[in-house]
Amino acid sequence: MQLRKQTRAKATLVASLLAAPQLASAFYLPGVAPTSYKPDDLVPLYVNTIRPAPGPDALLHSPFSYDYYHPLFRFCEPKGGAQSVGESLGSILFGDRIKTSPFELKMKHNETCKKLCDGPVKYRKGASFFVNRRITEGASLNWLVDGLPAGQIVDENTDTEYYNPGFPLGQELADGQPSLNNHYDITIDYHEVNGNPDQLRVVGVIVEPRSKKYSGDVGPDTCKSALDPVVLNEKSDDNDVTFTYSVSWVPSPTAWATRWDKYLHVIDPKIHWFSLVNSAFIVVFLVLTVMSVLVRALKKDFERYNRLDQINLDDLSGTSALEDGVQEDSGWKLVHGDVFRTPSHPLLLSIFLGNGAQLFVMTGFTIVFALLGFLSPSNRGSLGTIMVLLYTILGFVGGYASARVYKSMQGEKWKLNIALTPVLVPGIVFGTFFLLDLFLWAEGSSGAVPFTTMLVIILIWFVFSVPLSFAGSWLGFRAPAIEPPVRTNQIPRQIPPTTTYLKPIPSMLLVGLLPFGAIFVELYFIMGSIWFSMIYYMFGFLFLCYALMVLTCAAVTVLMVYFLLCAENYNWQWRAFLAAGTSALYVFLNAIIYWVSRLSLGGVPGSVLYLGYSLLISFLFFILTGSIGYFSSWWFVRKIYSSIKID
């Protein structure tokens, strides 16, 4: 009877596994559920933040974004006023401010030269000056139609056309004057589901903005004629602008599930692949070289130490001569009584390591979720939301790791450790973020996180993350202490002078350079995504670079610690953390180079904002890589000292 039940259970499991692919293909995992429309159904067009975009010189001239309905832009609002559209926490943090619009788009219903407002919009001196400055800076309008960003067709260095989200607010004329785009030619691609004319889905949105100075009434053919561009006179209060739009619906063979493929495009993909493969080969070669040198050196050390132990047993009187090539104890075995001595400032180190473990696990889970398709661009703000939620939940990991490390270091201020682990590093991050937000508020930028969202983050922090961290710390301190494999001497050993390359600054600069080499290519694309509002979706490349960075960081830090111990320097804990964390210095220097080569932020607020966010990212990267270096070195040190006999 029991055997029959087991057989049925196995059969059910096999049937479930076989059915899994069919179930998985029944819905579109990476995005939201599709919306089908019938002819003449209203398709909503939402407006989003007006973001800076690179100008004709390919440089970004401002980091500030603005609300679409900022009073000085004077854009037409829908009847009853614009309404905010519900957004996720990550979407708000990344600067999205999505609202309704007065555009009326009816499925398969073409429109020509339709007026957007009841009458002309008047721009006074202040508004004209403001709009002209934004045009000069390369401001870009961002619309959403059925969740798809409205964009323009771009063909850059390849034979493949792709859609670039956003389109310019205006452009500079030949004489250098800025002209405002007041007419929009909207082309919407739609797809019939299984040939059903009553099931139509939006699969592409293209907008071609134009500048047309209308005089008199606007008829169906007025916008088709050649007209002078709209130039706002900054010295006059009499600038009347009429906004119009045309809509064209075009059938498309593109399926709804693949509609984002047009937006996900890699510029110069061959160069990207070549750089990535080249970096991967270099990093793998370095790791293999380090490991081979380390294994060979350790093997010789173990053989020498074991032969010494055998000689000491055979010759208790000490009169026999040593074997050729065998000398007295030297190198890392000499410091066995000090290698597990408590480092300076153990409380601060344990707090950093706990937060580093939390960041490490959070980053790994985030990349895995992205690889599974849960962080698709169609789920706006999903990346920021999942990172906040994961960091909150993983407060337990941070508290537990910090407590175990601090207890193994024989720390006595355990209450302070429990209190500071969930507060110190997040407090530094939140405080810096809040100060930078003040610059955004001062500039009137929509990128400033609302005060209510700040309160929500603080609430999540103290209601969920802090208690979870306390629970992890409580379990960590209740667990038995991690005992070192060798005893620690009461009197610390004197450290002899070291060679130049093992001194703190040279060794840190050497060790930190190699992990940075594993990620610098992908870092270029991530920087473009952050500052140029480009869609980042290459999570497979990111996973590969992250794995290479972790391996490199661990290998080179272990090698440095080995050389340090051979030089009879047993202060390896902080050295391992700081040397691996120095990768963050190269990340910040890379940000400075990017600032000089790709950005042209003339004002002080923009420069402070860029440098502040770069320092914030570098600080978190410092905590992450430093923790990787420490834990790998800790494992290595315990491994080698537990493999030798100590008298």
Side-chain angles (χ1 to χ4, degrees):
M1 189 70 180
Q2 190 174 3
L3 181 62
R4 188 176 299 173
K5 288 182 179 179
Q6 290 179 355
T7 306
R8 288 179 181 175
K10 290 180 180 178
T12 305
L13 179 61
V14 172
S16 302
L17 291 174
L18 291 175
Q22 284 79 9
L23 293 173
S25 61
F27 65 96
Y28 182 54
L29 179 64
V32 294
T35 303
S36 297
Y37 301 92
K38 295 180 181 180
D40 289 330
D41 279 356
L42 195 63
V43 180
L45 187 154
Y46 297 136
V47 294
N48 199 355
T49 303
I50 298 177
R51 302 181 187 275
D57 55 358
L59 298 177
L60 190 71
H61 295 275
S62 172
F64 300 108
S65 55
Y66 295 91
D67 191 285
Y68 187 86
Y69 293 113
H70 190 288
L72 294 178
F73 280 118
R74 308 285 296 148
F75 286 133
C76 308
E77 296 189 21
K79 294 179 180 178
Q83 303 295 322
S84 296
V85 178
E87 303 170 59
S88 65
L89 177 61
S91 182
I92 295 173
L93 291 176
F94 285 166
D96 285 337
R97 304 292 181 267
I98 304 174
K99 296 183 179 180
T100 56
S101 74
F103 291 88
E104 293 183 356
L105 307 181
K106 296 181 179 179
M107 177 60 73
K108 292 187 69 175
H109 185 81
N110 294 338
E111 300 276 5
T112 305
C113 299
K114 188 173 182 178
K115 293 175 70 174
L116 194 57
C117 311
D118 294 334
V121 177
K122 187 176 292 293
Y123 283 83
R124 300 189 181 277
K125 296 177 182 178
S128 299
F129 176 81
F130 178 81
V131 172
N132 285 340
R133 294 292 80 74
R134 302 292 83 77
I135 294 173
T136 305
E137 292 173 354
S140 172
L141 302 184
N142 294 274
W143 295 351
L144 296 170
V145 179
D146 192 50
L148 272 183
Q152 291 185 296
I153 296 178
V154 179
D155 181 8
E156 191 171 326
N157 300 329
T158 64
D159 296 330
T160 306
E161 292 183 345
Y162 69 98
Y163 294 178
N164 186 36
F167 53 92
L169 171 66
Q171 57 275 326
E172 292 189 11
L173 302 175
D175 57 359
Q177 286 186 305
S179 64
L180 174 65
N181 292 325
N182 62 322
H183 175 76
Y184 311 105
D185 287 325
I186 307 171
T187 303
I188 302 178
D189 299 333
Y190 68 92
H191 177 73
E192 291 186 0
V193 181
N194 298 324
N196 188 346
D198 289 334
Q199 280 194 334
L200 308 175
R201 294 176 180 173
V202 176
V203 294
V205 184
I206 302 170
V207 176
E208 287 296 332
R210 306 182 191 281
S211 182
K212 295 180 178 293
K213 188 175 182 179
Y214 298 113
S215 57
D217 294 333
V218 177
D221 298 325
T222 307
C223 59
K224 296 180 181 179
S225 57
L227 298 173
D228 293 334
V230 176
V231 178
L232 299 179
N233 188 353
E234 299 177 8
K235 298 180 180 180
S236 172
D237 287 333
D238 191 21
N239 293 296
D240 292 336
V241 179
T242 301
F243 288 91
T244 58
Y245 67 98
S246 300
V247 184
S248 300
W249 296 86
V250 180
S252 172
T254 303
W256 188 90
T258 60
R259 64 178 188 166
W260 276 92
D261 292 354
K262 301 175 183 178
Y263 296 87
L264 308 180
H265 179 80
V266 182
I267 300 175
D268 293 333
K270 292 181 180 179
I271 295 176
H272 180 84
W273 271 107
F274 176 77
S275 300
L276 187 64
V277 172
N278 185 45
S279 298
F281 272 119
I282 293 174
V283 169
V284 170
F285 175 75
L286 284 172
V287 171
L288 291 177
T289 303
V290 167
M291 297 307 294
S292 62
V293 169
L294 209 54
V295 169
R296 290 178 63 186
L298 282 173
K299 187 177 179 182
K300 290 181 180 179
D301 289 343
F302 286 138
E303 290 176 353
R304 181 160 56 90
Y305 292 151
N306 290 332
R307 278 189 291 170
L308 278 169
D309 292 335
Q310 187 63 39
I311 291 169
N312 290 333
L313 289 174
D314 293 342
D315 184 17
L316 296 176
S317 62
T319 56
S320 297
L322 295 178
E323 294 181 9
D324 293 338
V326 181
Q327 301 172 357
E328 293 291 343
D329 281 0
S330 62
W332 54 268
K333 188 178 179 183
L334 278 177
V335 295
H336 66 84
D338 300 277
V339 71
F340 291 103
R341 190 176 300 280
T342 301
S344 60
H345 310 293
L347 178 63
L348 182 62
L349 181 59
S350 63
I351 292 170
F352 282 166
L353 292 173
N355 283 271
Q358 189 175 348
L359 282 171
F360 177 76
V361 179
M362 182 208 73
T363 307
F365 273 119
T366 303
I367 295 176
V368 169
F369 281 138
L371 286 174
L372 293 176
F374 290 108
L375 305 184
S376 168
S378 56
N379 287 327
R380 298 191 68 86
S382 57
L383 178 62
T385 303
I386 198 70
M387 289 175 69
V388 171
L389 292 179
L390 282 175
Y391 191 82
T392 301
I393 296 171
L394 293 171
F396 180 86
V397 175
Y400 183 79
S402 177
R404 293 303 301 271
V405 170
Y406 191 60
K407 190 173 183 179
S408 69
M409 293 177 180
Q410 301 174 353
E412 298 177 353
K413 301 177 182 178
W414 60 273
K415 292 181 181 178
L416 202 56
N417 175 272
I418 293 175
L420 289 180
T421 297
V423 172
L424 182 62
V425 173
I428 293 172
V429 173
F430 183 81
T432 307
F433 184 77
F434 180 76
L435 290 176
L436 294 175
D437 219 44
L438 293 178
F439 280 91
L440 293 171
W441 278 332
E443 289 291 321
S445 172
S446 65
V449 177
F451 184 70
T452 53
T453 306
M454 288 280 194
L455 291 179
V456 169
I457 294 174
I458 295 175
L459 191 67
I460 293 173
W461 184 8
F462 281 101
V463 174
F464 296 101
S465 184
V466 172
L468 285 171
S469 178
F470 285 174
S473 297
W474 181 75
L475 287 177
F477 280 115
R478 280 181 60 88
I482 303 173
E483 296 294 336
V486 293
R487 293 192 305 270
T488 301
N489 297 333
Q490 292 183 353
I491 302 175
R493 182 186 179 87
Q494 187 175 0
I495 300 174
T498 57
T499 55
T500 303
Y501 74 92
L502 283 179
K503 289 181 179 179
I505 293 179
S507 61
M508 288 165 58
L509 293 176
L510 286 172
V511 172
L513 180 61
L514 296 177
F516 172 76
I519 61 167
F520 82 97
V521 174
E522 209 61 30
L523 194 61
Y524 174 83
F525 291 93
I526 293 174
M527 295 286 283
S529 174
I530 293 173
W531 296 106
F532 285 84
S533 302
M534 298 169 63
I535 298 175
Y536 184 85
Y537 70 99
M538 297 172 288
F539 294 107
F541 291 154
L542 184 62
F543 175 77
L544 178 61
C545 289
Y546 183 68
L548 291 173
M549 186 269 293
V550 171
L551 288 174
T552 310
C553 196
V556 295
T557 309
V558 164
L559 185 64
M560 185 210 69
V561 168
Y562 172 73
F563 288 145
L564 204 64
L565 295 176
C566 287
E568 302 178 19
N569 187 340
Y570 50 83
N571 294 325
W572 61 270
Q573 291 95 334
W574 273 109
R575 290 288 297 274
F577 182 84
L578 294 175
T582 309
S583 301
L585 174 63
Y586 291 101
V587 171
F588 184 71
L589 292 177
N590 179 75
I592 298 296
I593 296 172
Y594 194 87
W595 180 30
V596 174
S597 60
R598 297 297 307 276
L599 308 177
S600 179
L601 309 177
V604 174
S607 302
V608 171
L609 196 70
Y610 177 82
L611 292 176
Y613 280 123
S614 299
L615 278 172
L616 194 60
I617 294 171
S618 301
F619 174 69
L620 292 174
F621 195 74
F622 166 74
I623 300 294
L624 173 65
T625 53
S627 300
I628 294 171
Y630 174 87
F631 283 115
S632 57
S633 301
W634 173 81
W635 173 84
F636 168 75
V637 172
R638 287 186 61 86
K639 197 73 175 174
I640 63 172
Y641 281 98
S642 62
S643 302
I644 61 172
K645 299 175 183 178
I646 303 296
D647 296 332

